[in-house]
Amino acid sequence: MMILLENENIKVTISAKGAELQSIKSKKDNLEYLWKGDPAFWGKFSPVLFPIVGALKNNTYCIGDQSYQLPRHGFARDLDFEAQQISEEEALFTLSNTVKTSEVYPFEFKFSLRYRISGPAVSCTYEVNNPGTKDLLFSVGAHPAFAVPLTADTVYEDYYLEFSQDESLNIHQIEDNLIGDQVAILQLSDRKLNLQHELFYNDALVMKDLNSKSIQLKNTKNQHGLNFRFIDFPFFGIWSAKDADFVCLEPWCGIADGIHHNQQLSDKEGIQSLSPGLDWKRSWEIEVF
């Protein structure tokens, strides 16, 4: 099932499977801003990461003496959400615990994604509710992939990311999908990171202390690009599949296990803890131009 959001500026398509964005298209020039999802490189568009972000050590976590297994980034991206069209400009997608999810994740939860469009912008709000009687432990992350190049008259190397505040990036090295001990400093030029495929040959650029709350994707040949805004996400990743024509901008409330992690979920870096009956929200927004 697909839901379409549309106004005078943009058309946005979302699939009920994984509550995943499929398309963000400008109506002015029919320009598509999302990656095309080519499975030869990476068959996703904008998967949601829940109830974990990144990989677990040995794909396993523990609650006390009981161990469970989850794949990288969790299970929500592969499940069907209940879809509700609120209006032409808003849609709500909801996933709740089932007997099947409880086998790998023994928590009661209600997890929703609320998409809204306004002018040339689309926002996504993660809404988590704890309907259970014990604390809900979870992580949430975004993984939208943006087309690079955006237009036929440009190539990948014409594009750059402009950070609202940072002059350099502290990159945590990845070892077998886990966070290693080494940190590399990547210097920016006037807060800009020029995109090159080689940047991602060793996996994602992972940051724990990004100061910027917005990143713009721009190019040196024309005025097309986007502004990606996010608040209260303590971790951030930038990634592309090898030699693929996209870049992912990924704000996270959670992160992959460190190589020395004890695998206890309650001790996992970035884990969110939500008391019974309470709600939790985080949002990000894409404005295209």
Side-chain angles (χ1 to χ4, degrees), residues 2-5 11-15 20-24:
M2 295 285 182
I3 283 187
L4 174 66
L5 303 181
K11 294 169 61 176
V12 172
T13 306
I14 312 124
S15 171
E20 184 179 8
L21 276 169
Q22 305 288 296
S23 173
I24 303 174

Side-chain angles (χ1 to χ4, degrees), residues 3 12 28 66 110 163-164 239 247 274 287:
I3 283 187
V12 172
K28 179 180 179 180
Q66 181 67 47
K110 181 180 178 182
F163 295 78
S164 61
W239 176 76
V247 64
L274 186 63
E287 182 178 5

Side-chain angles (χ1 to χ4, degrees), residues 52-56 59 70-75 77 174 177 203-204:
I52 59 169
V53 171
L56 297 169
N59 292 319
L70 280 175
R72 191 180 190 186
H73 298 321
F75 52 67
R77 59 183 177 167
I174 296 177
N177 293 327
D203 213 322

Side-chain angles (χ1 to χ4, degrees), residues 192-265:
K192 297 174 183 177
L193 174 64
N194 295 320
L195 291 182
Q196 306 172 56
H197 289 299
E198 293 80 6
L199 275 173
F200 310 107
Y201 281 1
N202 293 320
D203 213 322
L205 308 180
V206 175
M207 291 150 279
K208 298 182 181 182
D209 56 359
L210 191 67
N211 294 309
S212 297
K213 300 305 178 188
S214 68
I215 299 173
Q216 290 191 316
L217 173 64
K218 297 180 176 179
N219 72 83
T220 59
K221 297 292 180 62
N222 59 52
Q223 298 302 309
H224 291 295
L226 60 88
N227 189 17
F228 188 67
R229 293 186 284 263
F230 47 94
I231 299 174
D232 293 332
F233 291 87
F235 308 101
F236 202 92
I238 305 173
W239 176 76
S240 180
K242 186 175 182 180
D243 296 327
D245 288 338
F246 69 84
V247 64
C248 289
L249 301 180
E250 307 178 38
W252 303 328
C253 288
I255 195 169
D257 282 352
I259 57 175
H260 305 297
H261 183 47
N262 65 12
Q263 296 180 274
Q264 287 291 329
L265 187 63

Side-chain angles (χ1 to χ4, degrees), residues 151-169:
T151 58
D153 60 336
T154 57
V155 297
Y156 200 89
E157 289 75 16
D158 292 329
Y159 288 77
Y160 60 92
L161 300 175
E162 185 172 338
F163 295 78
S164 61
Q165 297 183 48
D166 296 88
E167 300 289 346
S168 63
L169 306 177

Side-chain angles (χ1 to χ4, degrees), residues 48-278:
V48 57
L49 316 182
F50 178 89
I52 59 169
V53 171
L56 297 169
K57 190 175 182 180
N58 299 321
N59 292 319
T60 302
Y61 71 93
C62 299
I63 300 175
D65 296 329
Q66 181 67 47
S67 64
Y68 301 87
Q69 291 195 320
L70 280 175
R72 191 180 190 186
H73 298 321
F75 52 67
R77 59 183 177 167
D78 296 316
L79 297 182
D80 291 324
F81 284 62
E82 180 184 342
Q84 181 181 1
Q85 182 104 39
I86 306 298
S87 68
E88 291 184 354
E89 300 187 349
E90 183 178 350
L92 181 67
F93 298 82
T94 302
L95 182 71
S96 298
N97 58 284
T98 64
V99 172
K100 189 175 179 67
T101 64
S102 296
E103 293 174 355
V104 295
Y105 181 63
F107 295 94
E108 295 182 59
F109 66 86
K110 181 180 178 182
F111 175 48
S112 300
L113 283 78
R114 186 180 300 272
Y115 290 99
R116 290 191 183 99
I117 59 173
S118 178
V122 54
S123 66
C124 175
T125 300
Y126 302 122
E127 304 175 357
V128 181
N129 171 261
N130 181 0
T133 58
K134 62 181 180 180
D135 289 352
L136 172 60
L137 304 179
F138 68 95
S139 294
V140 175
H143 204 313
F146 301 108
V148 178
L150 283 169
T151 58
D153 60 336
T154 57
V155 297
Y156 200 89
E157 289 75 16
D158 292 329
Y159 288 77
Y160 60 92
L161 300 175
E162 185 172 338
F163 295 78
S164 61
Q165 297 183 48
D166 296 88
E167 300 289 346
S168 63
L169 306 177
N170 295 323
I171 307 299
H172 292 258
Q173 302 298 310
I174 296 177
E175 301 180 21
D176 295 325
N177 293 327
L178 304 179
I179 306 299
D181 294 332
Q182 301 299 314
V183 180
I185 299 176
L186 181 58
Q187 293 292 337
L188 304 179
S189 175
D190 193 26
R191 296 182 285 106
K192 297 174 183 177
L193 174 64
N194 295 320
L195 291 182
Q196 306 172 56
H197 289 299
E198 293 80 6
L199 275 173
F200 310 107
Y201 281 1
N202 293 320
D203 213 322
L205 308 180
V206 175
M207 291 150 279
K208 298 182 181 182
D209 56 359
L210 191 67
N211 294 309
S212 297
K213 300 305 178 188
S214 68
I215 299 173
Q216 290 191 316
L217 173 64
K218 297 180 176 179
N219 72 83
T220 59
K221 297 292 180 62
N222 59 52
Q223 298 302 309
H224 291 295
L226 60 88
N227 189 17
F228 188 67
R229 293 186 284 263
F230 47 94
I231 299 174
D232 293 332
F233 291 87
F235 308 101
F236 202 92
I238 305 173
W239 176 76
S240 180
K242 186 175 182 180
D243 296 327
D245 288 338
F246 69 84
V247 64
C248 289
L249 301 180
E250 307 178 38
W252 303 328
C253 288
I255 195 169
D257 282 352
I259 57 175
H260 305 297
H261 183 47
N262 65 12
Q263 296 180 274
Q264 287 291 329
L265 187 63
S266 59
D267 295 334
K268 182 173 173 59
E269 185 175 14
I271 199 72
Q272 308 294 304
S273 181
L274 186 63
S275 297
L278 295 187

